[in-house]
Amino acid sequence: MAEIAPSILAADFANLQRDVEMINSSSAGYIHVDIMDGMFVPNISFGLPVCEAIHKHAQKPLDVHLMIEQPDRYLEAFRKAGASGLTVHYEACPHLHRTIQHIKELGAEPGVALNPHTPVEVLSEIMGDVSLILIMSVNPGFGGQKFIENTYRKIATLDSYRKKFGYNFKIEVDGGVNLDNAPRLVQEGVDILVAGSFVFSSPNPAQTIAELGNS
Ligand code: DX5
Ligand code: ZN
């Protein structure tokens, strides 16, 4: 069993309210909100006004994934725009400890994300301070990419750290998640599955969310 965070990046942006309401009425645990700046990643998604608009209709917590450079500049603004959780990239934060403390001061759940090439060991000194570790299973920037297989090993390593030291962070995986890889991801220790195109391109998205959750 896993919690599901449907990624709004794959929604129909001309029908955002409808798609947010679909998520509200589903068994999803969160709404995953991807913020891309065209600098940290080679794509631009959307920014604060759209996040606010999603929040206005959302009945699930907003899990905001900041794929942006210098995220410290925008933490407060995204918190005000409705973020419950704020996840920054390890690769974008030279002073990650300070950034995590800042997120806590804002009253949000602090998360840290790792690109596919970054080993989980780099987080050993911050694991006790975060609520969430997000493992990217594709290179960030686009929905609909193919799942990278070495993600399983990273999840297992992270789960072993968690058990060994008694940490409480949740493990989230993001990119290329579907019903083929979800069961093994859960088996290796994933708590939250992000799924974008697999949910929104399915004939019955709410049912797909339920099926993923039973993985
Ligand atoms: C990718 C984003 C993901 C994306 C997932 O950079 O962080 O959250 O929306 O989309 P799928 O599930 O289509 O790979
Ligand atoms: Zn994401």
Side-chain angles (χ1 to χ4, degrees):
M1 297 283 281
E3 291 187 289
I4 307 303
S7 172
I8 208 76
L9 185 70
D12 177 353
F13 289 172
N15 286 289
L16 261 186
Q17 182 177 348
R18 181 199 67 191
D19 285 354
V20 169
E21 285 169 356
M22 180 281 292
I23 298 174
N24 289 342
S25 66
S26 78
S27 57
Y30 307 86
I31 300 181
H32 187 80
V33 179
D34 285 311
I35 307 297
M36 304 177 182
D37 65 354
M39 296 291 288
F40 180 70
V41 290
N43 193 15
I44 297 174
S45 57
F46 50 78
L48 289 157
V50 174
C51 189
E52 271 169 38
I54 294 166
H55 183 239
K56 199 169 131 195
H57 298 288
Q59 288 163 11
K60 311 264 179 179
L62 299 192
D63 166 36
V64 174
H65 177 194
L66 296 174
M67 286 163 277
I68 64 177
E69 287 186 358
Q70 300 182 33
D72 303 76
R73 296 184 300 157
Y74 293 102
L75 294 174
E76 191 172 354
F78 278 104
R79 176 70 177 138
K80 285 188 177 146
S84 292
L86 284 164
T87 297
V88 295
H89 266 264
Y90 164 82
E91 299 85 0
C93 295
H95 306 287
L96 182 59
H97 184 271
R98 181 185 293 153
T99 304
I100 295 298
Q101 301 314 314
H102 187 185
I103 295 171
K104 284 186 189 171
E105 283 160 21
L106 292 168
E109 297 291 343
V112 59
L114 290 185
N115 279 338
H117 74 279
T118 308
V120 297
E121 287 80 0
V122 298
L123 297 181
S124 61
E125 302 304 323
I126 199 81
M127 286 180 186
D129 293 294
V130 295
S131 302
L132 179 80
I133 296 182
L134 187 165
I135 302 295
M136 286 306 305
S137 41
V138 298
N139 286 291
F142 303 93
Q145 301 182 82
K146 190 173 174 295
F147 180 84
I148 297 172
E149 295 283 322
N150 82 342
T151 306
Y152 297 121
R153 195 159 39 84
K154 290 176 77 171
I155 304 286
T157 306
L158 199 50
D159 189 46
S160 68
Y161 265 100
R162 184 165 60 173
K163 288 186 174 131
K164 186 170 173 196
F165 297 102
Y167 295 136
N168 287 320
F169 60 80
K170 289 187 176 181
I171 302 177
E172 181 173 50
V173 69
D174 184 7
V177 170
N178 56 39
L179 278 170
D180 293 332
N181 51 35
R184 181 155 173 213
L185 287 167
V186 173
Q187 192 190 319
E188 302 288 4
V190 169
D191 304 288
I192 306 171
L193 296 164
V194 177
S197 48
F198 188 70
V199 165
F200 284 95
S201 66
S202 75
N204 185 338
Q207 189 185 320
T208 303
I209 290 167
E211 286 168 6
L212 282 168
N214 287 328
S215 294

